[in-house]
Amino acid sequence: MMKYKSGSMSPENIGRAYDSLVLFSGGIDSAVCLEKEIRKTGGNTWALHFRYGQPHALELDYAIEFIRARDCMFCWVELPVPESGITDQG
């Protein structure tokens, strides 16, 4: 079962149409992409993060901090992934 968490730093964002969606890991590459889109759209951007038990889960904390500083919409999805070399369990 997938779990979703979403939020907005501003209540006026709810129900708004958005210009772009950025897959956002919280790492430097996706942070640069998100920043560029936020500037391009005037903040009219969604950030989407996937959690799958990856060992670098600290990036979610960075992602949330980054998003809060920019007041854009965000959502993270927790995916059930079998144990492997890319998860905490494997």
Side-chain angles (χ1 to χ4, degrees):
M1 172 158 193
M2 288 193 288
K3 296 180 183 177
Y4 302 91
K5 173 69 177 173
S6 64
S8 167
M9 302 304 115
S10 299
E12 64 270 11
N13 285 340
I14 297 172
R16 219 170 99 187
Y18 288 85
D19 293 327
S20 62
L21 170 72
V22 174
L23 297 177
F24 185 51
S25 70
I28 189 69
D29 295 335
S30 63
V32 169
C33 290
L34 180 57
E35 182 68 29
K36 290 178 97 173
E37 280 302 302
I38 289 170
R39 290 179 185 198
K40 180 178 155 185
T41 65
N44 202 21
T45 301
W46 264 94
L48 175 61
H49 180 86
F50 290 102
R51 292 270 299 122
Y52 53 88
Q54 63 267 45
H56 57 280
L58 184 59
E59 286 190 348
L60 177 58
D61 295 334
Y62 294 135
I64 292 170
E65 183 179 328
F66 186 90
I67 288 165
R68 282 190 176 141
R70 283 143 187 90
D71 196 30
C72 71
M73 289 294 291
F74 69 96
C75 177
W76 75 78
V77 178
E78 293 190 35
L79 301 172
V81 176
E83 291 183 16
S84 74
I86 62 167
T87 65
D88 287 335
Q89 300 89 16

